[in-house]
Amino acid sequence: MQVSDSSSRILAGLLEARTGQQLTMSRRWRIETALAALLRERAIPTLDELITILVMGREPSLATQVVEALLNNETYFFRDRTPFDLLAKAALPKLQQLRHATRRIRIWSAGCSTGQEAYSLAMMFAEDPQRWAGWTIDIVGSDVSESAVRRARDGVYTQFEVQRGLGITQMIRWFEESDDGWRAVEPLRRMVRFQVHNLLEPAPHPGQFDIVLCRNVLLYLNAERRGLVFDRIGQAIAADGWLMLGAGETVIGQTRRFEADPAARGLYRLNGTDSVSAVAMGA
């Protein structure tokens, strides 16, 4: 299945219009693999025929399926592990002190894909029950992909998926084997809620998140949209909250909203001006 330049441009335009994400030249090799299953399912013989249907607008639902197929939903439990250790050692102890009066912590996993990151966060709290007894932990997972969010809500993973990043003890403790795969146990699922959300839009309710994880998402946006996402997150994060990005992402040269936390390399805080403004607004 050959992908012509014109077809690539049409698909890239569709993806960017729906999600804001760019299908850069370095990612266009994925088109054939990503759309092969959809072509078989829809009995569409060639990619050119698919493009024709899209351009004519005869099947709006097909455009949605194409966008869903082109999104990169790569994720796994405790992905890269080090960021979770950083949260556990640097952010959570301070938050426990800062939020002692309310005993409530709000976390947003932005671009959560099929939910492994959000469930990993839930496990961090659930595995230390004495420390967090009496606390309310709100974890919101959001993604632009409707199919990914449906899977996240179900909390069901294949044997391969549940073993990526989890040891056997964690797997048995937090997942139950079923006919469909391995499902997150109910106490874990209750800690997390998922919703479809585009990062270019205002943040999910309730806002004023203590921690925002937006990892490996900004890589797919152009500079203007990255700036908008930083603004959206800046409006939604608590004045003393933390932002975590992916290993290949940074705020340097991208936004003035955030600055590196000198005490916790890999985490970002609202810069001084924005922090003062957030407090004045009742953050």
Side-chain angles (χ1 to χ4, degrees):
M1 180 172 59
Q2 291 287 347
V3 184
S4 65
D5 288 342
S6 59
S7 293
S8 295
R9 285 194 296 271
I10 290 171
L11 293 172
L14 176 62
L15 179 66
E16 189 164 7
R18 293 289 187 93
T19 71
Q21 294 191 20
Q22 293 184 305
L23 191 63
T24 59
M25 293 301 296
S26 62
R27 292 179 64 207
R28 292 187 182 183
W29 65 270
R30 295 185 61 251
I31 291 177
E32 296 182 43
T33 303
L35 296 179
L38 178 58
L39 291 178
R40 290 194 299 270
E41 176 188 333
R42 288 294 199 112
I44 300 174
T46 65
L47 185 60
D48 287 338
E49 179 66 19
L50 172 67
I51 297 299
T52 299
I53 298 171
L54 291 175
V55 171
M56 295 182 67
R58 297 201 304 254
E59 297 187 44
S61 64
L62 180 61
T64 299
Q65 286 184 290
V66 168
V67 170
E68 293 273 341
L70 291 174
L71 289 169
N72 182 4
N73 290 321
E74 167 68 7
T75 186
Y76 51 91
F77 293 101
F78 293 98
R79 185 176 183 178
D80 302 328
R81 186 61 68 162
T82 299
F84 294 93
D85 292 339
L86 179 61
L87 289 177
K89 295 175 182 177
L92 293 185
K94 290 184 180 179
L95 273 178
Q96 191 172 28
Q97 297 175 351
L98 292 169
R99 302 294 183 264
H100 181 72
T102 61
R103 299 176 77 82
R104 184 177 196 135
I105 292 177
R106 296 184 173 116
I107 302 178
W108 177 18
S109 171
C112 70
S113 186
T114 46
Q116 285 93 321
E117 180 176 86
Y119 285 123
S120 297
L121 293 166
M123 278 183 259
M124 289 176 62
F125 290 96
E127 289 178 347
D128 200 352
Q130 290 186 335
R131 180 177 184 181
W132 301 108
W135 285 70
T136 299
I137 309 299
D138 294 326
I139 301 173
V140 177
S142 71
D143 200 273
V144 72
S145 169
E146 294 182 10
S147 61
V149 169
R150 282 196 300 270
R151 285 206 60 206
R153 285 173 178 157
D154 289 340
V156 178
Y157 301 95
T158 65
Q159 180 82 29
F160 173 74
E161 289 172 327
V162 83
Q163 287 182 318
R164 290 189 74 192
L166 294 181
I168 186 66
T169 302
Q170 281 182 310
M171 186 178 78
I172 294 174
R173 182 177 184 184
W174 300 115
F175 291 84
E176 299 171 326
E177 192 171 11
S178 67
D179 293 338
D180 299 325
W182 290 79
R183 190 180 194 197
V185 297
E186 185 178 352
L188 207 63
R189 297 200 311 275
R190 283 201 305 264
M191 295 178 65
V192 188
R193 63 181 176 88
F194 295 96
Q195 68 180 79
V196 177
H197 175 263
N198 190 323
L199 281 170
L200 302 178
E201 299 171 352
H205 179 79
Q208 300 310 307
F209 293 99
D210 302 300
I211 299 173
V212 177
L213 293 88
C214 185
R215 303 171 63 212
N216 306 308
V217 179
L218 299 177
L219 295 169
Y220 304 121
L221 304 178
N222 63 26
E224 181 181 357
R225 289 192 173 99
R226 284 197 296 271
L228 176 56
V229 170
F230 280 123
D231 286 342
R232 297 298 194 196
I233 294 174
Q235 294 162 3
I237 199 168
D240 53 359
W242 284 270
L243 168 64
M244 175 176 283
L245 302 177
E249 298 166 325
T250 182
V251 303
I252 299 173
Q254 307 293 323
T255 180
R256 295 182 179 179
R257 277 274 194 174
F258 292 91
E259 57 190 2
D261 185 342
R265 185 177 179 181
L267 296 177
Y268 301 91
R269 312 294 295 265
L270 286 170
N271 68 33
T273 302
D274 280 299
S275 296
V276 172
S277 300
V279 171
M281 294 172 63

